[in-house]
Amino acid sequence: MQYEDWKAILAPYNNAVEELKVKFKNIRKEFLERGDYSPIEFVTGRTKKIASIVAKAKKLNATDIEAEIEDIAGIRIMCQFVEDIYTIVDLIRSRNDMTIINEKDYIKNYKESGYRSYHVIIKYPINTVDGSKEVTCEIQIRTLAMNFWATIEHSLKYKYEHYIPDTLAVRLRRAADAAFLLDQEMGEIREDIMNAQSMYRMRELAVKDVLDRIQEVRELGYTNNAIQYQRRLDMIQNSIEDVKEVLELKDEIGLKIEEIKNHKMKE
């Protein structure tokens, strides 16, 4: 097959990867903008390289590459906790812009090597210049610890041409178990971690709102008041006080803005 033919075949898969990355990143953004905890930490994606597709086709003895290879397009979603993985799976199941055709739970049923991840195979519609086309995409959902281990294992497989020496394989398996133990420990304190992160995000949003309101006070012509508010915010940010003080300052500046605007209307 010529390179131009490959380009034509892979174009819809490239588009699917880019669209899906944007969609899942927007889901994360929506959670955070609502002030909620996001089960999505970050998202990556890729279209399989031609050489890898050819090698896999030979391994599977595939006669129809697009029908028989499920991971030409691939999305990877990273989470903080194991529980988040299943939250994301439920989220994918609830969507009407993609259809699940297969699921593989390598967390409850991990591979002999120690590999853990959750794989969802979906059909995803893409609009092309030649019309609509449904492509298959694999979504891998992992914790950060699982992804760290899988990345190392992948590098070693590449180095040893998929035949990792037995002694090294045993050590890798122990490392996989240790990584999962870390995930379990983090799961035990998940609520405390989520509360701490939620408080931090709330503080960030409150500080942004205060800065926006200080700027509005300045634009209304009350520069001295804006400078005083900025100094107070700097003092709060340099202290270890909780978010309550920032929220109180935000409300105070809001009342001041309302007072200024009412005064200007009467002039």
Side-chain angles (χ1 to χ4, degrees):
M1 193 182 299
Q2 298 297 316
Y3 178 69
E4 291 301 319
D5 296 327
W6 276 111
K7 278 180 64 178
I9 290 172
L10 296 181
Y13 293 91
N14 291 330
N15 292 341
V17 167
E18 294 307 313
E19 286 188 19
L20 288 166
K21 282 197 299 184
V22 169
K23 286 188 176 183
F24 285 110
K25 286 177 182 179
N26 282 339
I27 290 170
R28 168 180 164 76
K29 183 180 177 183
E30 188 177 342
F31 273 114
L32 297 179
E33 286 181 345
R34 290 191 324 201
D36 294 338
Y37 168 79
S38 172
I40 298 173
E41 187 65 13
F42 64 92
V43 183
T44 63
R46 61 94 186 104
T47 303
K48 212 172 187 66
K49 293 179 180 177
I50 296 171
S52 298
I53 296 173
V54 171
K56 190 160 188 176
K58 287 181 180 178
K59 182 180 177 181
L60 297 175
N61 197 25
T63 55
D64 186 337
I65 288 172
E66 292 192 79
E68 297 177 61
I69 299 180
E70 297 177 328
D71 64 341
I72 293 176
I75 298 294
R76 190 169 294 157
I77 301 174
M78 258 61 75
C79 315
Q80 293 191 68
F81 305 103
V82 174
E83 293 87 344
D84 295 339
I85 293 173
Y86 294 99
T87 299
I88 294 169
V89 172
D90 287 339
L91 192 151
I92 294 170
R93 288 174 183 151
S94 70
R95 296 187 68 90
N96 57 18
D97 56 348
M98 55 190 77
T99 305
I100 295 177
I101 58 173
N102 197 9
E103 297 180 41
K104 300 172 186 176
D105 188 342
Y106 293 121
I107 300 168
K108 293 176 181 175
N109 305 292
Y110 54 86
K111 292 186 179 182
E112 189 176 344
S113 64
Y115 176 85
R116 289 174 171 87
S117 185
Y118 200 108
H119 294 189
V120 180
I121 309 299
I122 64 166
K123 284 286 188 183
Y124 182 74
I126 282 290
N127 290 314
T128 73
V129 292
D130 297 318
S132 182
K133 175 184 175 74
E134 255 194 344
V135 299
T136 305
C137 178
E138 180 184 70
I139 303 174
Q140 297 179 352
I141 313 165
R142 305 171 176 171
T143 64
L144 298 170
M146 290 174 191
N147 190 61
F148 171 73
W149 183 91
T151 301
I152 298 299
E153 189 216 26
H154 180 78
S155 299
L156 289 171
K157 277 185 173 180
Y158 180 79
K159 177 182 177 181
Y160 292 104
E161 297 180 346
H162 288 271
Y163 296 100
I164 298 174
D166 290 343
T167 53
L168 187 53
V170 170
R171 296 178 71 178
L172 263 179
R173 173 58 187 270
R174 287 203 298 264
D177 292 340
F180 191 63
L181 181 61
L182 173 63
D183 277 333
Q184 289 177 312
E185 288 292 331
M186 288 299 175
E188 293 292 326
I189 57 172
R190 180 173 182 259
E191 188 173 346
D192 288 333
I193 294 171
M194 287 173 62
N195 287 339
Q197 291 176 341
S198 178
M199 183 65 72
Y200 179 77
R201 284 192 298 272
M202 189 184 298
R203 182 185 175 91
E204 276 191 320
L205 290 171
V207 167
K208 181 182 180 300
D209 286 343
V210 169
L211 289 171
D212 289 343
R213 292 185 179 192
I214 290 173
Q215 181 60 30
E216 188 173 355
V217 170
R218 184 176 284 108
E219 289 172 355
L220 287 168
Y222 286 69
T223 305
N224 288 338
N225 293 90
I227 291 171
Q228 289 173 12
Y229 288 137
Q230 184 65 61
R231 286 174 179 167
R232 285 175 59 187
L233 177 61
D234 292 341
M235 289 177 64
I236 295 171
Q237 287 186 282
N238 290 330
S239 72
I240 57 172
E241 298 295 331
D242 62 25
V243 72
K244 183 180 177 182
E245 284 193 54
V246 182
L247 292 172
E248 287 174 350
L249 180 59
K250 170 187 166 183
D251 292 340
E252 182 182 332
I253 301 173
L255 290 172
K256 184 65 178 178
I257 290 171
E258 190 176 335
E259 178 188 320
I260 293 170
K261 287 181 177 179
N262 287 337
H263 179 73
K264 284 182 175 292
M265 287 176 66
K266 292 176 182 178
E267 288 180 348

